[in-house]
Amino acid sequence: MRLVIIGAGFAGMYAAARLRDINGASPEELEIALVAPEPALVVRPRLYEPKPETLTAPLVDVLKAIDVVYVQGSAETVNTKSRMVEIFSAKGAKKNLSYDRLVSTIAPDMGAGPRLLIEDALNKLGVETRLGAGVAALDKSGVTLSDGERIEAETVIWAAGIRAAPLTAQIPAERDNFGRLLVDRDLRVPGVAGVFATGDAARAACDDLGNYAPMSCQHATRMGAFAGHNAAAELLGVPAKPYHQKAYVTCLDLGEAGALFMRGWKRKVEMVGDVAKKTKQEINTVWIYRPRAERAAALASADPERVTDL
Ligand SMILES: Cc1cc2nc3c(=O)[nH]c(=O)nc-3n(C[C@H](O)[C@H](O)[C@H](O)COP(=O)(O)OP(=O)(O)OC[C@H]3O[C@@H](n4cnc5c(N)ncnc54)[C@H](O)[C@@H]3O)c2cc1C
């Protein structure tokens, strides 16, 4: 039996770790393949820090420790009828991978469709764009792009929006305004046999009170663990665990002004200033990170019922 995970982000990583743990299934019984362009976790919450290009965590050792096969490439098409994923490698080679269960965890994207219209409107408004380059550094007098170009500016506004990856559109199911697949409490995509969606790719209820998981690492890690558990549970004939996540905190870094730590869906402020800043640093380096590249630690970190002490 083969279980395929698309994406090596927070959800994909924890889905992989959970899958291997359930029922002690061996790699011969249950092959777990993780498809992603790079075997590394991009620590997105820290991308505002200096040297953002260094803020990735390698996953090769972690995946090896839990017997997960890494497949280099980008999933281009998903055929839910023949249960096949078509993958293109960095060198352009095409490969088909069949699956018994599929967990889609793919990342947000602005979406290619509206791009031309947006570019056109910006041109008309006299707004210049720089495509194909990221922001490499940000300082008091402007930004430096990844291709080395320097733009002097007194004010820089970060306004990147997020949307589920276009690949989710290939799953014949209902989606919300962000392109996220609507899932049931077990993170299954209703009506599409063998497909689970999680992390930023899924719109999932966190509780029975009407709260839905936002696109966040905090939720993606737990959703990943539940999706991994449930996809494997279905194959191995063991009970599923409905996704639930009660704890929810928000912590904003305010630069030299410290930080703001809030709890709950009503965002009650609990900490400000240096104390909150210290917590923000702990969140970004301990809680939102990959597990240790050691089997027992990696598997324990993906226990769906694990809660943080924050
Ligand atoms: C700038 C920025 C700052 C953020 N700050 C915070 C924060 O402070 N706190 C917080 O909780 N959340 C934050 N988020 C949100 C958070 O990063 C996401 O919610 C989280 O990463 C979602 O996890 P994921 O696994 O679903 O997706 P990701 O972590 O984005 O991982 C997606 C994976 O899928 C892979 N992939 C994409 N397309 C394909 C394909 N076609 N085939 C194969 N693989 C593919 C990618 O390479 C990647 O490995 C931030 C996001 C951004 C963009």
Side-chain angles (χ1 to χ4, degrees):
M1 290 186 290
R2 182 187 288 141
L3 219 148
V4 174
I5 301 167
I6 304 178
F10 289 94
M13 175 65 243
Y14 284 93
R18 181 59 195 171
L19 288 166
R20 180 50 76 215
D21 200 23
I22 185 171
N23 237 22
S26 69
E28 290 72 38
E29 277 173 286
L30 185 64
E31 180 191 332
I32 302 168
L34 185 144
V35 184
E38 300 287 337
L41 186 71
V42 178
V43 189
R44 298 188 196 286
R46 295 184 60 190
L47 290 181
Y48 63 93
E49 294 181 19
K51 297 197 179 165
E53 68 279 10
T54 62
L55 295 170
T56 58
L59 291 181
V60 172
D61 289 350
V62 187
L63 296 176
K64 218 167 154 189
I66 53 175
D67 297 314
V68 170
V69 180
Y70 168 63
V71 181
Q72 194 286 323
S74 185
E76 292 294 320
T77 55
V78 177
N79 188 326
T80 53
K81 284 209 175 93
S82 59
R83 298 200 179 196
M84 197 73 80
V85 182
E86 188 184 42
I87 299 158
F88 282 88
S89 76
K91 290 182 182 152
K94 195 174 96 173
K95 180 180 177 171
N96 284 314
L97 199 63
S98 64
Y99 65 83
D100 294 290
R101 292 294 180 278
L102 179 73
V103 180
S104 174
T105 75
I106 39 190
D109 184 272
M110 285 297 286
R115 193 171 294 145
L116 285 177
L117 293 172
I118 294 170
E119 280 172 15
D120 189 43
L122 291 174
N123 279 339
K124 283 187 187 139
L125 291 168
V127 177
E128 288 179 34
T129 55
R130 299 287 187 280
L131 302 179
V135 172
L138 181 61
D139 56 40
K140 278 183 187 163
S141 58
V143 293
T144 307
L145 304 186
S146 53
D147 59 7
E149 187 185 354
R150 172 80 189 162
I151 302 173
E152 297 295 330
E154 285 187 11
T155 305
V156 176
I157 300 172
W158 179 275
I162 50 174
R163 214 182 135 65
L167 200 67
T168 50
Q170 294 185 26
I171 312 283
E174 239 185 301
R175 284 173 291 279
D176 70 2
N177 288 341
F178 300 107
R180 297 183 300 178
L181 291 156
L182 270 50
V183 289
D184 67 14
R185 293 307 287 268
D186 294 339
L187 306 181
R188 249 184 232 105
V189 179
V192 190
V195 178
F196 290 75
T198 190
D200 283 358
R203 180 182 192 260
C206 295
D207 52 35
D208 296 323
L209 305 170
N211 296 311
Y212 284 81
M215 290 179 174
S216 82
C217 298
Q218 188 180 168
H219 292 85
T221 49
R222 290 303 87 201
M223 285 166 79
F226 276 96
H229 179 98
N230 293 341
E234 208 174 72
L235 280 178
L236 301 169
V238 299
K241 281 179 185 282
Y243 165 64
H244 59 94
Q245 190 160 359
K246 193 173 161 208
Y248 176 34
V249 301
T250 320
C251 196
L252 294 182
D253 193 328
L254 299 173
E256 285 174 11
L260 202 55
F261 179 93
M262 295 153 282
R263 191 180 298 280
W265 295 94
K266 292 196 172 148
R267 303 223 161 84
K268 184 168 173 279
V269 176
E270 278 194 1
M271 284 184 256
V272 293
D274 290 346
V275 195
K277 183 92 164 185
K278 221 172 147 217
T279 305
K280 178 70 178 172
Q281 280 155 359
E282 184 190 325
I283 289 171
N284 279 356
T285 52
V286 179
W287 296 108
I288 298 181
Y289 202 61
R290 53 144 225 207
R292 282 207 314 274
E294 190 260 300
R295 192 178 173 93
L299 297 183
S301 73
D303 178 351
E305 302 298 345
R306 173 176 171 255
V307 284
T308 63
D309 297 328
L310 282 173

